[in-house]
């Protein structure tokens, strides 16, 4: 499933979207954490991360205050977040689509309009090296909305474990696209 890296082109930022149910807990946490990780790697201008929900239940609402608490404790601001629902055209407009739980993964796979869109859909925790080789059924992050502060802390921990793998994956995709662009440029230059 590493083919998604090969479809990316250097003419626009590498685009990632994180997806959960209502877009007020898990997916905005993941998007903000990933944005910070790419900034820390000096890739802030090359990678854009956003988030959405599979449902319209929470559209227009801010992030859950318990998720905001966890993010604030880690010096990440979330007050600008406004929940939104997944749109079908994002299959084409995103390079990597990260599902936070098994039901989101199945829903995104089922809705994929073509094979290349399907290949972009991954479980976020599939990038956690400790989860290597595990079934996608083992990779879900349960909805902390029904729980308490400890559940949101656990969500943070599970997302954080996958971030280095996602960063490495995206770095490889960008590097591959830049190499391909360089080869294309060399071929054009040698023809003139």
């Amino acid at each position: 499933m590493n083919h998604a890296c090969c479809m990316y082109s250097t003419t626009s930022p590498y685009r990632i979207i994180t997806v959960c149910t209502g877009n007020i807990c898990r997916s905005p946490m993941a998007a903000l954490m990933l944005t910070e990780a790419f900034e820390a790697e000096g890739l802030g201008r090359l990678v854009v991360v956003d988030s959405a929900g599979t449902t319209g239940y929470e559209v227009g609402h801010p992030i859950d205050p318990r998720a905001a608490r966890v993010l604030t404790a880690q010096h990440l601001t979330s007050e600008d977040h406004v929940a939104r629902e997944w749109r079908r055209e994002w299959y084409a407009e995103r390079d990597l689509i990260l599902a936070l739980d098994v039901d989101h993964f199945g829903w995104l796979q089922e809705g994929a309009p073509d094979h290349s869109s399907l290949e972009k859909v991954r479980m976020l925790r599939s990038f956690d090296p400790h989860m290597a080789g595990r079934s996608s059924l083992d990779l879900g992050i349960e909805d902390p909305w029904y729980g308490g502060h400890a559940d949101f802390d656990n969500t943070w921990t599970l997302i954080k474990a996958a971030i280095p793998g996602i960063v490495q994956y995206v770095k490889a995709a960008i590097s591959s696209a830049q190499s391909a662009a360089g080869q294309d440029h060399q071929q054009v230059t040698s023809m003139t």
Side-chain angles (χ1 to χ4, degrees):
M1 284 256 281
N2 212 8
H3 301 96
C5 71
C6 306
M7 293 179 277
Y8 167 67
S9 120
T10 56
T11 57
S12 61
Y14 189 95
R15 298 197 53 128
I16 301 171
I17 190 164
T18 58
V19 182
C20 70
T21 304
N23 191 219
I24 59 167
C25 300
R26 293 166 288 180
S27 61
M29 286 177 72
L32 291 164
M33 292 166 71
L34 280 166
T35 297
E36 192 236 1
F38 286 114
E39 290 284 345
E41 290 285 330
L43 297 171
R45 291 186 331 187
L46 295 177
V47 182
V48 175
V49 187
D50 60 355
S51 64
T54 58
T55 69
Y57 301 152
E58 301 288 350
V59 168
H61 293 167
I63 194 167
D64 185 290
R66 296 164 296 176
R69 177 197 62 84
V70 174
L71 293 167
T72 300
Q74 301 294 333
H75 312 290
L76 294 174
T77 58
S78 58
E79 62 267 2
D80 293 338
H81 177 74
V82 178
R84 61 195 187 147
E85 188 174 2
W86 172 265
R87 296 196 343 224
R88 187 174 169 83
E89 60 266 24
W90 291 340
Y91 281 109
E93 296 172 6
R94 300 301 185 273
D95 300 293
L96 183 59
I97 301 165
L98 296 173
L100 273 289
D101 208 347
V102 178
D103 54 338
H104 312 128
F105 183 64
W107 186 88
L108 287 162
Q109 284 187 312
E110 202 172 285
D114 53 43
H115 185 69
S116 83
S117 296
L118 186 62
E119 286 189 329
K120 296 176 185 181
V121 178
R122 300 277 300 269
M123 288 290 289
L124 181 130
R125 288 187 72 205
S126 69
F127 291 94
D128 177 346
H130 296 100
M131 301 307 289
R134 301 286 285 274
S135 159
S136 62
L137 296 175
D138 297 329
L139 301 178
I141 298 176
E142 288 184 30
D143 195 345
W145 190 84
Y146 300 100
H149 290 305
D151 297 285
F152 283 84
D153 292 336
N154 185 53
T155 297
W156 167 274
T157 301
L158 295 176
I159 293 169
K160 188 165 179 55
I163 286 178
I166 296 166
V167 170
Q168 287 307 117
Y169 177 84
V170 173
K171 275 181 157 178
I174 291 170
S175 177
S176 174
Q178 287 172 336
S179 294
Q183 288 173 347
D184 291 345
H185 179 71
Q186 286 176 338
Q187 288 173 348
V188 169
T189 306
S190 65
M191 285 191 238
T192 55

